[in-house]
Amino acid sequence: MAILVTGGAGYIGSHTVVELLQAGHEVVVVDSLCNGSEEALRRVEKITSRQVVFIHGDIRDRAMLDTLFATHAIEAVIHFAGLKAVGESVGQPLRYYENNVYGTLVLCQAMAAAGVYRLVFSSSATVYGEEASVPYVESMPRGTTSSPYGTSKAMVEKVLEDQCQADPRWSVVLLRYFNPIGAHPSGLIGEDPQGIPNNLMPYISQVAIGRLPELSIYGNDYPTADGTCERDYLHVVDLALGHLKAMQALSTPGVSRYNLGTGKGVSVLEMVRAFIRATGVEVPYRFAPRRTGDLAAFWADADMAERELGWRAERGLGEMMADTWRWQSANPAGYHS
Ligand code: NAD
Ligand code: WQD
C-alpha cells in the first residue's frame, strides 16, 4: 500500500515525501508542476536512496485520478496541491477557487470511487480570520479571511467536515500550518519561489545571496514589542514530521483539526537578526509602509498536536536560518542552479 501525495513536488510536499520514504512508506506523487519541480523529486530520491512514483498530472483531471487509483493501491492521501499566493488570489479568485476548491472536490470524488477515505489536508492559520485573538486555538470557529486564498482553505475545511458528517467511512485531518520556513539539512531541497518572493524567509535569503538588493520590512508601527509584525515560524522538517503523526490519527472516523506551529511569535526584525547571527551574512533592510492585509501578530496554541499526536516543533530559529542558508547558498537560483 502507498501514500498518495498531491503537490509532492512542491516545497512542503517534497520535505514530507522524504520523511515518508525514510519511515518506510511507499509514495506516489501527483503534481502538475505549476509551482513544483521534478528536480525536487530526483533530489528526494538522492537523500533517501528510495524511489518515488511520479505522475505528472492535475488533480482536476478525474480520468487521470481514476487511472492512478486503479493502478496503485493507495491507503491514504496527503493533499498539498494548491495555489498559495495570497496577493495573487485577490486578483484571480476564479483561478484560486477552481484549483483549490474544485480540485479538492474532484480528488475526493475519485477517492470515494476508489474506496479510499483517509485524507490529510494542508490548511492554514489564515482560516482563524482577522478578528481572532492570539494564540489561535483549534476550538475557535473559523473567521473571515481577507483573501480568496484564505477563503478557499476555509471552504475546503467545511466541505470535508460535511463529507465526514455524511459518511462515517471518511477520516480527515485538517492541519493548520503557521509559517513554515527552512530547508532539508542536506541542502538538496528547499523553497524555490518563482519570481520575486512574497514571503519573508526566501526574501531574506535572496537578499543575503545578492539576488535582491535589500529587504523592505513592511511596517514598524504595529502594536508589538519592536513595531514589526510577529509570526509563528516553524521548520519545514518539523512540519513534514507532523504529517506522519497526523496519518496515525486517520484510523479514527470524522474530522480532527491541529495547529502545527511552535507556539511562539517572532518579529520581522528578530528574524533578520537571527539570520545574521546564524550565518554571519549581512541583510540590508529598510522600513517600508505596511502591506495590505497583514495582521500585527499571531501564533499557535500548539498544545493539542502535542497532547493528541505526540508532535511538537523541535527545531529552533538558528537551525531554521542555517538550513535555509545551506540550501540557498548551494542553489543560488533554486532548482535551476
Ligand atoms: P508549493 O506551491 O511549493 O506546492 C504546491 C504544489 O502543488 C506545487 O508543486 C504545484 O505544482 C502543485 N499543484 C498546484 N495545483 C495543482 C493541481 N491542480 N494539480 C496538481 N498539482 C498541483 O506550496 P507549499 O508551500 O509546499 O504548500 C503546500 C500546501 O500547503 C498548499 O496547499 C498551501 O496552500 C498550504 N500551505 C502552505 C503554507 C506556506 O506558508 N507555504 C502555509 C499554510 C498552508
Ligand atoms: C511574514 C511577515 C510581512 C516579506 C503568508 C500567508 C499565510 C501562509 C504563510 C499559506 C509579515 C513581513 C514579508 C517582505 C516583510 N501561507 N514581510 N517583507 O503573510 O504571515 O503568511 O504565508 O497558507 O496564509 O498569508 O507570511 O512570510 O509573507 O510575511 O516585512 O518582503 O514578514 O509583512 O509581517 P504571512 P510572510
Side-chain angles (χ1 to χ4, degrees):
M1 296 291 271
I3 310 295
L4 173 63
V5 180
T6 74
Y11 172 47
I12 306 169
S14 57
H15 287 80
T16 303
V17 173
V18 167
E19 300 306 326
L20 287 167
L21 292 170
Q22 286 180 338
H25 294 281
E26 300 296 322
V27 176
V28 176
V29 167
V30 63
D31 198 298
S32 66
L33 301 181
C34 68
N35 198 43
S37 159
E38 221 177 324
E39 175 63 17
L41 294 176
R42 279 195 284 273
R43 295 184 182 196
V44 164
E45 291 180 331
K46 190 166 171 191
I47 293 168
T48 60
S49 303
R50 299 258 335 258
Q51 278 200 323
V52 182
V53 176
F54 173 57
I55 292 152
H56 184 193
D58 194 298
I59 55 161
R60 291 167 293 174
D61 181 347
R62 174 67 192 270
M64 179 278 296
L65 289 177
D66 286 344
T67 307
L68 187 161
F69 283 111
T71 317
H72 301 278
I74 302 295
E75 57 181 307
V77 179
I78 306 184
H79 177 30
F80 294 103
L83 301 174
K84 64 162 181 177
V86 175
E88 184 182 70
S89 79
V90 175
Q92 303 178 15
L94 295 179
R95 182 167 164 244
Y96 270 70
Y97 290 124
E98 185 189 316
N99 200 79
N100 294 3
V101 182
Y102 171 71
T104 305
L105 298 181
V106 176
L107 173 68
C108 290
Q109 283 164 340
M111 287 174 64
V116 179
Y117 301 104
R118 295 172 169 205
L119 179 74
V120 176
F121 174 62
S122 298
S123 191
S124 167
T126 190
V127 301
Y128 288 103
E130 289 155 43
E131 311 293 332
S133 54
V134 289
Y136 295 168
V137 189
E138 290 87 341
S139 54
M140 290 172 168
R142 281 184 292 271
T144 308
T145 59
S146 62
S147 71
Y149 167 76
T151 308
S152 77
K153 292 293 176 192
M155 287 167 81
V156 169
E157 285 201 355
K158 177 69 176 144
V159 167
L160 295 172
E161 287 168 359
D162 288 351
Q163 185 56 23
C164 287
Q165 181 82 37
D167 185 341
R169 290 173 296 185
W170 280 81
S171 174
V172 172
V173 178
L174 308 173
L175 294 180
R176 294 170 174 171
Y177 311 157
F178 282 68
N179 288 58
I181 61 167
H184 192 267
S186 63
L188 285 170
I189 58 171
E191 189 169 11
D192 184 19
Q194 311 299 305
I196 296 182
N198 300 307
N199 299 113
L200 179 64
M201 191 71 251
Y203 209 106
I204 290 177
S205 62
Q206 291 195 14
V207 169
I209 200 83
R211 269 172 82 173
L212 295 166
E214 66 176 2
L215 170 72
S216 296
I217 295 183
Y218 299 136
N220 62 344
D221 58 352
Y222 283 99
T224 58
D226 64 22
T228 66
C229 292
E230 292 174 3
R231 296 288 182 271
D232 185 340
Y233 298 95
L234 79 158
H235 198 297
V236 66
V237 172
D238 279 326
L239 180 59
L241 290 167
H243 292 74
L244 269 71
K245 296 284 189 185
M247 282 199 332
Q248 292 162 18
L250 287 177
S251 45
T252 323
V255 176
S256 35
R257 304 158 190 80
Y258 296 101
N259 290 339
L260 295 185
T262 65
K264 193 169 161 292
V266 175
S267 78
V268 178
L269 270 175
E270 286 171 328
M271 289 289 284
V272 173
R273 292 194 192 111
F275 183 87
I276 297 170
R277 209 169 37 244
T279 64
V281 183
E282 277 308 313
V283 178
Y285 67 83
R286 69 181 174 89
F287 292 114
R290 291 180 176 196
R291 183 173 70 176
T292 311
D294 275 344
L295 300 179
F298 62 85
W299 58 90
D301 179 320
D303 289 352
M304 189 183 252
E306 177 157 14
R307 221 173 35 244
E308 295 187 8
L309 300 178
W311 176 89
R312 53 182 273 183
E314 303 282 355
R315 292 157 181 79
L317 211 50
E319 208 170 335
M320 298 182 214
M321 299 300 169
D323 289 339
T324 300
W325 185 235
R326 191 175 304 108
W327 153 252
Q328 180 73 72
S329 44
N331 305 272
Y335 289 114
H336 302 293
S337 299

